[in-house]
């Protein structure tokens, strides 16, 4: 694994960590013209890098956009082939928006990414644990994790987007679930936090660091309502028992972070317990890893 550098924010007193950057990305950043990226400070002895420090959020976002567009034009990183024209937020020590970054470029900076995931299920008295779960298969031609299994509804949160409104939007786009139904029945269950090391399944550079915060929701659906694909991202939906879901998890068919969200669902619904899982405490703690970066996932003192 390559050396990691902490991406920092200088608040005038301290340099605070806001991301984790690989040495390969740092070296490309150093070689990027100052006219493109702005001023850059690298302290290799401390493995720290400080950039995008302009006075206003607008100026900072413009420098970030200039830098990532330059990398895309020069084909510096394969991950940028998945350009989305979606902006993700990067937060400062008071949970203020420092700047926005193109979605597929966020992993290059190693900043915290936010998303929302929801599991939909139906009551099924004849099944184990009394429920069945709606599980989608991602389209085989999707940019990342094509053909793998997912949570019922999931999506990344753009700059300025509320977690619940994100789920409402994604529920319509991915599963054809009506706004009113989701708005009145979905329930929030905190967050799952972790740091993901990008693998070849994600496409693009391997080894990029992705700290992630996923806001968690559940939705009990009536028997007469079934999720249906409404865009090109989902191939089909399965209605599976807990045992069927577990079997596909064992086979490694779930997108990695969606497997984590499924484990969280199992814990909250009494399916995974200390009595049937020797590593229960470790699993639970890894689902809620402290992320030492600012953002709305951290309560301000």
């Amino acid at each position: 694994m390559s050396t990691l550098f902490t991406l920092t924010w200088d608040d005038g007193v301290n340099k605070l960590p806001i991301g984790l950057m690989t040495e390969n990305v740092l070296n490309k950043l150093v070689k990027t013209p100052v006219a493109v990226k702005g001023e850059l400070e690298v302290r290799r002895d401390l493995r720290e890098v400080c950039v995008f420090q302009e006075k206003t959020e607008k100026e900072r976002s413009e420098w970030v956009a200039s830098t990532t567009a330059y990398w895309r034009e020069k084909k510096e990183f394969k991950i940028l082939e998945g350009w989305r024209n979606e902006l993700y937020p990067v937060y400062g020590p008071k949970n203020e928006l420092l700047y926005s970054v193109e979605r597929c470029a966020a992993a290059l900076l190693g900043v915290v990414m936010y998303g929302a995931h929801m599991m939909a299920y139906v009551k099924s008295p004849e099944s184990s644990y009394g429920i069945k779960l709606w599980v989608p298969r991602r389209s085989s031609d999707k940019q990342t994790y094509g053909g793998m299994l997912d949570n019922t509804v999931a999506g990344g949160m753009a700059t300025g987007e509320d977690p619940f409104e994100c789920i409402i939007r994604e529920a319509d786009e991915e599963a054809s679930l009506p706004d009113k139904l989701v708005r009145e029945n979905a329930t929030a269950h905190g967050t799952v936090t972790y740091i993901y090391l990008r693998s070849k399944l994600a496409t693009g550079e391997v080894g990029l660091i992705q700290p992630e915060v996923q806001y968690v929701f559940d939705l009990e659906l009536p028997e007469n309502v079934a999720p249906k694909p409404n865009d090109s991202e989902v191939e089909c939906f399965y209605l599976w028992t807990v045992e069927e879901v577990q079997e596909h998890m064992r086979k490694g068919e779930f997108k990695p972070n969606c497997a984590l969200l499924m484990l969280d669902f199992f814990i909250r619904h009494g399916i995974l317990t200390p009595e049937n899982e020797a590593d229960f405490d470790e699993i639970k703690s890894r689902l809620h890893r402290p992320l030492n970066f600012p953002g709305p996932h951290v309560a301000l003192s």
Side-chain angles (χ1 to χ4, degrees), residues 2-299:
S2 66
T3 300
L4 293 179
F5 286 79
T6 301
L7 178 64
T8 63
W9 170 255
D10 188 344
D11 67 354
V13 179
N14 300 301
K15 285 186 167 62
L16 306 171
I18 59 172
L20 289 170
M21 186 181 293
T22 64
E23 189 167 21
N24 178 49
V25 176
L26 173 63
N27 290 338
K28 295 287 180 64
L29 181 62
V30 169
K31 293 176 182 178
T32 301
V34 174
V36 172
K37 70 182 179 232
E39 296 299 322
L40 170 68
E41 179 187 357
V42 180
R43 299 197 287 181
R44 289 188 179 270
D45 57 330
L46 298 175
R47 299 208 300 272
E48 291 183 350
V49 53
C50 193
V51 67
F52 313 132
Q53 289 286 145
E54 286 67 34
K55 289 184 178 180
T56 68
E57 179 272 321
K58 182 175 183 293
E59 290 175 300
R60 295 189 290 267
S61 292
E62 287 173 349
W63 282 109
V64 175
S66 172
T67 301
T68 54
Y70 176 87
W71 288 345
R72 182 191 187 195
E73 179 186 351
K74 299 295 184 182
K75 301 187 184 306
E76 296 283 11
F77 299 102
K78 187 173 178 57
I79 193 174
L80 297 182
E81 293 175 8
W83 197 273
R84 299 283 197 94
N85 287 316
E86 297 177 26
L87 294 177
Y88 272 13
V90 179
Y91 293 101
K94 298 179 181 177
N95 292 350
E96 75 277 26
L97 178 65
L98 294 181
Y99 48 83
S100 294
V101 57
E102 154 64 32
R103 174 174 179 164
C104 73
L108 295 172
L109 303 184
V111 294
V112 179
M113 300 185 209
Y114 294 84
H117 286 235
M118 181 171 72
M119 280 308 306
Y121 63 95
V122 296
K123 290 288 181 62
S124 176
E126 72 279 6
S127 303
S128 299
Y129 308 101
I131 59 172
K132 287 185 176 181
L133 293 87
W134 283 109
V135 176
R137 187 173 294 282
R138 297 162 67 87
S139 295
S140 58
D141 59 355
K142 194 164 168 55
Q143 286 180 350
T144 58
Y145 306 100
M148 299 192 78
L149 300 172
D150 213 321
N151 303 128
T152 315
V153 172
M157 287 169 51
T159 297
E161 190 168 31
D162 172 83
F164 190 51
E165 294 305 319
C166 176
I167 278 296
I168 299 294
R169 173 178 57 78
E170 294 287 353
D172 171 54
E173 292 177 1
E174 296 184 350
S176 307
L177 294 173
D179 181 299
K180 186 174 187 293
L181 174 70
V182 180
R183 200 173 291 280
E184 293 180 355
N185 295 282
T187 55
H189 297 277
T191 60
V192 167
T193 55
Y194 54 91
I195 294 181
Y196 176 59
L197 187 66
R198 271 182 87 91
S199 71
K200 61 182 179 180
L201 290 173
T203 69
E205 283 68 26
V206 172
L208 296 176
I209 307 298
Q210 288 186 207
E212 296 192 346
V213 175
Q214 304 295 349
Y215 291 88
V216 180
F217 298 87
D218 287 353
L219 176 64
E220 181 184 335
L221 288 175
E223 290 183 2
N224 64 342
V225 175
K228 296 184 179 70
N230 191 32
D231 60 17
S232 60
E233 297 194 10
V234 176
E235 184 176 296
C236 61
F237 284 90
Y238 307 106
L239 184 59
W240 281 340
T241 63
V242 168
E243 289 82 3
E244 287 174 312
V245 172
Q246 291 172 330
E247 178 60 26
H248 288 278
M249 290 178 74
R250 275 191 288 270
K251 293 178 179 177
E253 292 186 43
F254 275 83
K255 182 172 177 275
N257 67 334
C258 295
L260 294 183
L261 272 292
M262 192 66 77
L263 289 174
D264 178 71
F265 181 92
F266 286 167
I267 289 173
R268 291 185 292 100
H269 288 262
I271 296 166
L272 188 67
T273 68
E275 288 70 37
N276 61 27
E277 175 51 64
D279 296 320
F280 179 86
D281 289 338
E282 183 175 0
I283 291 171
K284 189 172 182 179
S285 68
R286 289 192 179 200
L287 292 173
H288 303 283
R289 177 172 180 157
L291 300 179
N292 298 318
F293 307 105
H297 62 285
V298 179

